[in-house]
Amino acid sequence: MNFDFNYDMDTWVQFFKDNWLVLAIALIVLFLVIKIVKTVVKWAIVAVILIGVVLYSGYTLEDVKGIGAKVAESVKQEAVTAMAGEVKDATYTTNSDGTFTVKSKNIEINGNPGDNEVKVSFQGASLGTWKIDETIQTLIDQAKNNS
């Protein structure tokens, strides 16, 4: 069994969200054991409980990270599909700080002219920074033409 704990914060948050009840119960039992038992047996019981929680979770943190990556890729694909469908309704705005914003019904793109990356939001949720590919460039160009 490999215990590699070098994961990003999102992976840990997802793990705790999925296993919060088991972790809370284990924490309460651990506190009770630590308060009641005063010998070396206490630490053996603590170790057994911790190992039980890890084994009970049913999947590793690598599995949680993989699920998160699949969900992120699915949302990204949905956003790209929405971009293609909303290109005729997109608007281009030049902001006072020199950046631009492209908005459509579900998509918002923010960036600096000349950069090869933009910040993308889909239905109000940030999808992070994306490299400008053909689909995004088409949306930006069409939004400029619409304005």
Side-chain angles (χ1 to χ4, degrees), residues 22-57:
V22 173
L23 294 171
I25 292 170
L27 190 60
I28 292 169
V29 170
L30 284 175
F31 282 133
L32 290 174
V33 167
I34 290 172
K35 287 288 185 186
I36 295 172
V37 181
K38 300 289 183 191
T39 65
V40 175
V41 175
K42 163 175 65 176
W43 297 110
I45 294 171
V46 167
V48 168
I49 291 171
L50 290 176
I51 291 170
V53 167
V54 169
L55 295 176
Y56 173 79
S57 68

Side-chain angles (χ1 to χ4, degrees), residues 79-132:
V80 168
T81 303
M83 281 181 201
E86 297 177 0
V87 72
K88 64 182 180 297
D89 299 324
T91 60
Y92 183 93
T93 307
T94 303
N95 302 320
S96 60
D97 61 356
T99 61
F100 68 88
T101 302
V102 174
K103 286 186 181 181
S104 67
K105 180 180 173 188
N106 293 306
I107 303 292
E108 182 175 325
I109 298 173
N110 296 298
N112 289 314
D115 284 356
N116 65 346
E117 291 184 337
V118 290
K119 292 181 181 173
V120 180
S121 297
F122 179 63
Q123 296 179 341
S126 175
L127 298 180
T129 302
W130 292 9
K131 295 217 179 281
I132 296 178

